[in-house]
Amino acid sequence: MANWDSFDEIEALRRHLGRAFQEFTFENEPVSRVVFLPGKAPRRYPLINLNEDKDNFYLEALAPGVDPASLNITTVRNKLTLSGEKRRVEGEIRPEAFHRSERASGKFVRTLELPIEVDEGKVKAEYRNGILKLTLPKAERAKPKQITVNVG
């Protein structure tokens, strides 16, 4: 019978709640890491969907108007950083000529903590129609291993 340690369970819950609250607060984030989109409160940019299967994480980032040459994607163990720049409208338009300017521009940086490490050498990235798609293979050493029990 396995031993149950309530302190381990409480610590795991504390870490889980800490990560959840970290996703919804901006207290410790520099201004450059939160989005420049209009609204009541700043949102992170680019907006993402992240899912996984047995072998990979899949990330889709909504990034229309981002210059693909400015995109920089880095991974270190289980941290993923996306950065780039969304340029202003094309051409030489004086600021006073605008009647309305709702499409934000500027540099952005977003760092995500993934649940487990990824294999940095096998990450694939594709940018098409304003969507950045990443395939992040899970590191072999981070995948759970099945251990067989020999009965003797």
Side-chain angles (χ1 to χ4, degrees), residues 16-131:
H16 182 72
L17 288 172
R19 281 193 302 270
F21 280 107
Q22 195 174 30
E23 282 294 313
F24 294 107
T25 61
F26 300 100
E27 297 165 354
N28 300 325
E29 297 262 350
V31 174
S32 65
R33 293 210 178 157
V34 291
V35 77
F36 34 70
L37 294 175
K40 291 184 180 179
R43 292 186 254 166
R44 295 168 191 253
Y45 186 86
L47 302 175
I48 65 161
N49 286 339
L50 178 67
N51 59 70
E52 69 177 301
D53 62 19
K54 187 180 100 178
D55 296 318
N56 300 297
F57 289 104
Y58 301 97
L59 182 133
E60 288 186 358
L62 186 61
V66 170
D67 179 10
S70 76
L71 285 172
N72 187 21
I73 301 159
T74 58
T75 57
V76 177
R77 289 188 290 279
N78 69 327
K79 298 242 191 232
L80 170 69
T81 302
L82 305 171
S83 63
E85 183 173 6
K86 187 174 179 184
R87 300 207 185 254
R88 292 189 56 86
V89 291
E90 305 257 339
E92 296 291 324
I93 302 173
R94 298 182 328 271
E96 60 272 10
F98 278 98
H99 292 278
R100 188 175 284 270
S101 180
E102 296 179 355
R103 293 176 49 204
S105 61
K107 294 182 180 185
F108 63 88
V109 175
R110 182 159 186 195
T111 300
L112 303 166
E113 187 172 334
L114 301 169
I116 62 171
E117 291 183 37
V118 296
D119 187 344
E120 295 97 353
K122 295 181 180 176
V123 173
K124 295 179 186 168
E126 179 184 325
Y127 181 80
R128 186 181 312 157
N129 298 328
I131 297 178

